[in-house]
Amino acid sequence: MGAHGRVGTAALGTVVRGAAVRVALVLAALVLAGRAAGAQSCVVRVTASDRASQWAPPLDRIVSLRLPEMSIRDALDRLVAEARVELSYSAELLPLERQVCLVLDRVPVGAALESLLRGSTLRPIVLGTMHVVLAPTGAPVVSAPVTHGMSRRAGVLDRVVVTGSPDGAPQRGSPFALDVLDGATLAEHGVSTLGEALDLSVPGVWTWSAAAGAVTGRYGSIRGASSFGVSAPKVYLDGIEVANPLLVTQLDPARIARVEVIRGPQGAALYGADAISGVVNILTRYDGANDARTQLHVSAAAGVTNTAFAPRDPLVQDHAVSLRRGSPSRSLGLGLTLGTVGAFVPGASERRVLADANGRVTRDHAVLSGTVRLSLQRANATTGLMLDGGGNGAATGSLRPRLPGDSARGLAGGDSASGQDVAHYTVGGTVAMMPSLRWTHTVIAGVDGYRLRGLSAAALPGPLAASGGALLGDSNGAADRGSIRFRSVGRYDVAPATLLTLTLGAEQAMSREVLDRAPVTAPPVTTGGAGALGPWTVGRLRSVTSQEVTTYANSGLLAQGVMAWQDRWYVSAGARLERTTGATPLPQQSFLPMLGVAHVRDVGTAVVKLRGAYGAGIRPARTLVRNTTWMGVGTWASSANLDAERQSGTEFGADLLLGSRLALHMTRFDQRASGLIQPVASLITTVTTTGRLGRSMAYTLQNVGAIANRGWELDASTRLSRLSLSGALSLVDSRVAQLAPGYRGDLRIGDRMLDVPSSTMSLSAAWAAGRWTFTSSAIRASDWVGYDRAAIAEAVAAAAAPRELEGPQLRRYWLAYGAVTRWRAGVSYRVRDGLSMLAGGDNLLNVQTGAPDNTTVIVGRTMTLGVRTQF
């Protein structure tokens, strides 16, 4: 490496000692202190007047160190060795041979660096959890004397997030609400699914618990409604776009660095089509062991879950092993998790496997990283439940296990033993290059796909899914999505104290989807005496397997600029040109803008931030997501004339931060979703298998009109000595504002959107004392309107006239639902370093039904015991 003898970092084109982990920023100006001329003893003392709470990790680590007269190079070596962090810098920007002399008396690493580097043009950037880079600011930053201490802004706004900018940008200047879920926090609370993570920590996002026999996720609300049954954010795994976000359910928190979430359409200007609801970026851990040793983490837990729908309580188990090897500059990580849930409903057991591997290599001016992920899930699709209530169509009918000798009358759900299997994979990598200190180039390429067997309406949402059951038949699907994204980010000092960050990008994605429609395995249900309409049939009448192959292509060009003035005022503007083919008969072009403003003011150790943003997003009429929901297994009329779903609107918010003691975030959003697509039930004349004329129900995809989504989001967190608390609250009003011409469904202007809770909330706490750690969390959704699927099933079994289930007549089967609360708690005891005993309980209130409807059954109260160890 020549005279400098350092390894260069990619993101900054600087010399690296240590790992380059995904970009994530923290703090502001750093300064350089000189020595007293000719002094042989230290005359500059840095004390603990600068509190650790004023710095973001790892700059908040406390060190005590005496640095007698020595070069800056040696002083930095001593400091990072004592603090156990990795440091990168450019020898050209730092006078390494200059002499310094300091005494550090229990001070944060950030304050120590500030003292060493006073007067320079450098500031620290945190890469990952352990690595700090000294990057140029463009002008020297002058600080107060080191003996006075310094007021620093809260670190939570200074962390670098890659979701808000392709190569990472500080959250301080973000004009829209952006949530960052730390992997360590998710592990502490025992979170194992993406839905649990979002429900626990992200206001405005609500996912329903997985139903018996389902392998897909289901989002109830993302700032209201952005679609029917297919609402989902656009999901990325280490920057690689996922083909179907509803299939991303499993998480191993031990392998997660963080999860970054944008709510609403403001991120669509960067991420394009399907970002109508928001963006989720799951970032895995790339950090190696600090001492370059191999670290092995093993955890195992087993227990029992209560159920009211099976003759015995089933067993549950979760096991995980992860390995980290290498140094921060060259690392390898492996992970494997296994889990099973017994038959909490007869025949509805679940099995899941998650395996992943990743690695990172740092070279001069480049960082190369790669990731591989495979998720396997099996869930039986039968519920085997029937309704009490005599088949009179009463909405108060209850569920009970189907017993031998029961008739089929009142059956809710299919009775087949078939199940759903899904294999979901992701393979890809990232190359980040910085040929100069001004420009950073990033290329992300990968392939994501799935293989899905047994897509049945028996366990999927929809007004007639309960009645259709196995009659709708099963479908097999497969899709592969290859994508490549290119970003170039430049930074220019356009004026004193004014920094312009310019992002240019291009993206190309190709998807191929194959759907196999299986024939009906049971004869259609034909009822006689159904009023004047004669016999009628529920389900599709198909006698042969059909296969549909569809190719989608998506390309986009984007430009975004962020102007920062005095590190207080930020103005963001961007736009994306999007072109989609395959989703509609003709190519579809769209223009997606974004505009935002943020003002941040430091008041002592507190930070006050005001922000506002506008954005617009789009979802094509035909997507991979739509075809893997219940909307993809019905009998459709022509949908060639459907408009795309769109959402646009504004958000305004305020943030208050008091170091690490208190963080408070409040957001008001006002968004309008138009063109939402709903499957509308209608009556058609068919020929039954006996050759008689009959009536059958078919679904026609129709644009509803426009939906107004308005509400408030609030989240807060605090730390009081050994106790940490956090909570989130969302209030949503999602209503039909306009109906499209020709719409024949059951919605009317002013109606609330179905299955959207008016309020969701969460509260979590963690308390540590000695060897003990206690955690508890609760999530709650309340007040939504949905279909009374139990009454619909009884109406079908009682041979009700089919007109009762057609279009506007479905309104009589609407039902107001109250509230559902899920509570979990856990305790761990550290036996010795590297070995802990665990005990926990999930769904402690034993809620199994009532959300999102009255026929869905979920896992009951679960109690587990486990052990966690590290080698």
Side-chain angles (χ1 to χ4, degrees):
M1 296 297 295
H4 307 308
R6 311 268 180 200
V7 181
T9 55
L12 301 168
T14 59
V15 179
V16 172
R17 263 190 310 148
V21 197
R22 185 172 292 273
V23 229
L25 162 55
V26 24
L27 281 224
L30 294 177
V31 261
L32 193 94
R35 65 180 178 95
Q40 297 300 315
S41 61
C42 291
V43 296
V44 178
R45 177 180 295 271
V46 184
T47 64
S49 59
D50 198 345
R51 298 187 302 275
S53 63
Q54 298 168 345
W55 298 89
L59 298 179
D60 61 346
R61 297 189 174 188
I62 301 298
V63 294
S64 294
L65 191 64
R66 182 182 181 87
L67 301 175
E69 191 161 337
M70 63 178 62
S71 66
I72 292 179
R73 182 199 300 271
D74 294 336
L76 291 174
D77 288 344
R78 291 276 305 276
L79 177 61
V80 298
E82 177 71 15
R84 296 186 178 182
V85 299
E86 300 295 330
L87 186 69
S88 305
Y89 54 86
S90 172
E92 288 79 8
L93 301 177
L94 191 63
L96 294 177
E97 303 306 323
R98 186 174 180 179
Q99 299 295 295
V100 296
C101 185
L102 290 176
V103 173
L104 307 176
D105 185 11
R106 294 192 56 78
V107 299
V109 173
L113 283 172
E114 187 171 66
S115 302
L116 282 171
L117 305 176
R118 184 174 180 228
S120 74
T121 61
L122 302 179
R123 68 170 61 188
I125 293 179
V126 175
L127 299 179
T129 57
M130 300 298 301
H131 188 226
V132 179
V133 172
L134 304 181
T137 62
V141 180
V142 180
S143 71
V146 295
T147 54
H148 294 170
M150 289 207 55
S151 173
R152 304 297 303 176
R153 58 179 183 253
V156 68
L157 287 183
D158 293 310
R159 59 189 170 197
V160 165
V161 287
V162 298
T163 303
S165 177
D167 74 327
Q171 193 172 348
R172 181 179 177 92
S174 172
F176 42 75
L178 180 60
D179 298 277
V180 181
L181 316 182
D182 183 72
T185 301
L186 300 181
E188 183 179 54
H189 287 277
V191 172
S192 60
T193 69
L194 178 59
E196 291 174 347
L198 298 177
D199 289 345
L200 181 64
S201 304
V202 183
V205 179
W206 179 262
T207 63
W208 299 111
S209 298
V215 296
T216 59
R218 184 178 178 187
Y219 290 80
S221 175
I222 308 178
R223 287 187 170 175
S226 62
S227 195
F228 285 82
V230 298
S231 290
K234 197 169 188 177
V235 176
Y236 291 81
L237 291 167
D238 284 330
I240 302 165
E241 183 181 350
V242 169
N244 189 335
L246 296 181
L247 300 180
V248 182
T249 56
Q250 296 192 79
L251 284 185
D252 178 7
R255 297 281 295 130
I256 297 297
R258 64 191 184 277
V259 180
E260 300 175 357
V261 184
I262 295 177
R263 310 188 296 273
Q266 282 72 22
L270 277 176
Y271 293 94
D274 286 331
I276 180 175
S277 303
V279 179
V280 172
N281 198 357
I282 302 172
L283 304 171
T284 57
R285 296 181 59 177
Y286 282 94
D287 53 315
N290 293 331
D291 51 10
R293 294 187 307 171
T294 300
Q295 293 187 0
L296 182 66
H297 299 258
V298 180
S299 65
V304 65
T305 182
N306 301 132
T307 180
F309 302 99
R312 65 176 61 90
D313 292 340
L315 296 176
V316 297
Q317 55 182 337
D318 285 284
H319 311 295
V321 57
S322 62
L323 178 145
R324 293 166 53 208
R325 178 181 177 85
S327 66
S329 60
R330 183 188 298 264
S331 64
L332 172 67
L334 303 172
L336 176 66
T337 65
L338 307 172
T340 65
V341 178
F344 59 96
V345 169
S349 59
E350 301 176 8
R351 298 191 298 272
R352 56 187 182 273
V353 178
L354 175 64
D356 65 66
N358 62 14
R360 169 163 287 183
V361 176
T362 302
R363 298 298 187 195
D364 292 343
H365 306 290
V367 177
L368 296 85
S369 60
T371 186
V372 177
R373 186 180 189 270
L374 175 65
S375 173
L376 304 174
Q377 291 180 268
R378 162 78 179 183
N380 291 332
T382 179
T383 59
L385 299 175
M386 67 173 297
L387 293 165
D388 291 328
N392 57 8
T396 58
S398 61
L399 291 171
R400 65 178 176 85
R402 189 182 183 204
L403 303 176
D406 283 331
S407 69
R409 186 181 182 86
L411 184 65
D415 192 31
S416 67
S418 64
Q420 295 186 51
D421 292 276
V422 62
H424 176 227
Y425 74 91
T426 307
V427 180
T430 301
V431 178
M433 301 166 289
M434 189 172 185
S436 67
L437 293 177
R438 177 163 292 172
W439 281 94
T440 301
H441 307 299
T442 305
V443 179
I444 304 175
V447 179
D448 182 276
Y450 60 86
R451 302 294 181 267
L452 180 62
R453 185 188 68 81
L455 178 60
S456 172
L460 297 172
L464 299 183
S467 61
L471 301 175
L472 290 178
D474 291 341
S475 295
N476 300 329
D480 301 283
R481 182 179 183 88
S483 60
I484 182 168
R485 300 164 58 204
F486 173 77
R487 302 286 192 271
S488 287
V489 180
R491 299 171 178 83
Y492 295 88
D493 295 307
V494 295
T498 304
L499 176 67
L500 172 64
T501 302
L502 181 63
T503 300
L504 303 175
E507 179 176 340
Q508 179 67 48
M510 295 288 295
S511 302
R512 184 178 186 270
E513 179 189 35
V514 179
L515 286 177
D516 293 324
R517 307 295 196 186
V520 175
T521 57
V525 174
T526 302
T527 65
L533 294 175
W536 64 284
T537 303
V538 176
R540 344 177 255 206
L541 297 175
R542 307 185 68 153
S543 59
V544 296
T545 299
S546 62
Q547 185 178 85
E548 301 175 13
V549 180
T550 308
T551 301
Y552 306 88
N554 177 267
S555 57
L557 297 174
L558 69 94
Q560 183 185 52
V562 179
M563 185 76 73
W565 180 64
Q566 291 189 343
D567 207 22
R568 290 186 178 182
W569 290 94
Y570 303 86
V571 178
S572 304
R576 180 184 178 104
L577 295 176
E578 189 89 5
R579 187 176 190 271
T580 303
T581 60
T584 54
L586 297 176
Q588 185 178 64
Q589 290 84 24
S590 56
F591 176 77
L592 307 177
M594 191 278 289
L595 180 65
V597 178
H599 174 60
V600 186
R601 188 170 184 84
D602 301 298
V603 184
T605 61
V607 179
V608 178
K609 177 179 178 180
L610 302 176
R611 49 182 167 79
Y614 167 84
I618 187 173
R619 177 183 286 126
R622 179 167 182 152
T623 64
L624 297 176
V625 180
R626 199 179 306 281
N627 290 336
T628 50
T629 66
W630 77 278
M631 301 173 68
V633 295
T635 301
W636 310 118
S638 174
S639 59
N641 296 322
L642 287 174
D643 294 331
E645 297 177 329
R646 301 175 183 271
Q647 184 167 215
S648 62
T650 60
E651 67 170 69
F652 298 94
D655 305 313
L656 172 64
L657 301 105
L658 299 175
S660 62
R661 293 171 293 170
L662 175 67
L664 179 65
H665 310 274
M666 181 173 63
T667 303
R668 166 69 180 182
F669 63 89
D670 191 337
Q671 299 169 178
R672 186 179 180 90
S674 60
L676 301 195
I677 298 172
Q678 181 190 26
V680 176
S682 59
L683 183 69
I684 61 174
T685 301
T686 60
V687 179
T688 67
T689 54
T690 61
R692 300 174 58 191
L693 289 178
R695 310 289 187 180
S696 66
M697 301 303 298
Y699 299 112
T700 303
L701 293 180
Q702 294 183 5
N703 293 114
V704 172
I707 310 298
N709 295 311
R710 302 182 179 93
W712 293 88
E713 298 165 342
L714 178 69
D715 65 288
S717 61
T718 185
R719 181 178 295 275
L720 305 172
S721 184
R722 299 173 179 176
L723 176 66
S724 60
L725 297 170
S726 63
L729 171 67
S730 177
L731 304 175
V732 176
D733 184 26
S734 182
R735 293 185 180 272
V736 178
Q738 180 182 345
L739 291 178
Y743 172 71
R744 301 189 306 275
D746 48 344
L747 292 172
R748 295 293 179 266
I749 294 177
D751 286 341
R752 292 178 54 186
M753 279 295 291
L754 303 177
D755 294 338
V756 176
S758 65
S759 66
T760 58
M761 62 187 71
S762 66
L763 180 65
S764 61
W767 183 70
R771 295 175 179 264
W772 293 92
T773 300
F774 300 89
T775 61
S776 181
S777 61
I779 57 177
R780 178 179 176 86
S782 59
D783 184 20
W784 68 94
V785 176
Y787 290 110
D788 186 348
R789 289 178 62 183
I792 292 175
E794 287 198 348
V796 171
R803 290 291 184 188
E804 293 186 5
L805 305 176
E806 182 181 18
Q809 304 303 318
L810 274 173
R811 294 176 65 87
R812 70 180 63 187
Y813 292 101
W814 286 10
L815 184 64
Y817 290 85
V820 60
T821 302
R822 292 179 60 88
W823 173 37
R824 72 191 314 168
V827 59
S828 67
Y829 176 75
R830 181 170 53 84
V831 179
R832 58 177 177 81
D833 289 342
L835 177 63
S836 298
M837 306 299 294
L838 312 171
D842 192 11
N843 194 9
L844 294 175
L845 301 180
N846 203 28
V847 177
Q848 282 199 268
T849 60
D853 51 55
N854 53 9
T855 60
T856 297
V857 181
I858 62 174
V859 179
R861 180 190 299 112
T862 303
M863 308 298 296
T864 58
L865 295 174
V867 61
R868 181 172 57 218
T869 184
Q870 174 180 334
F871 303 97

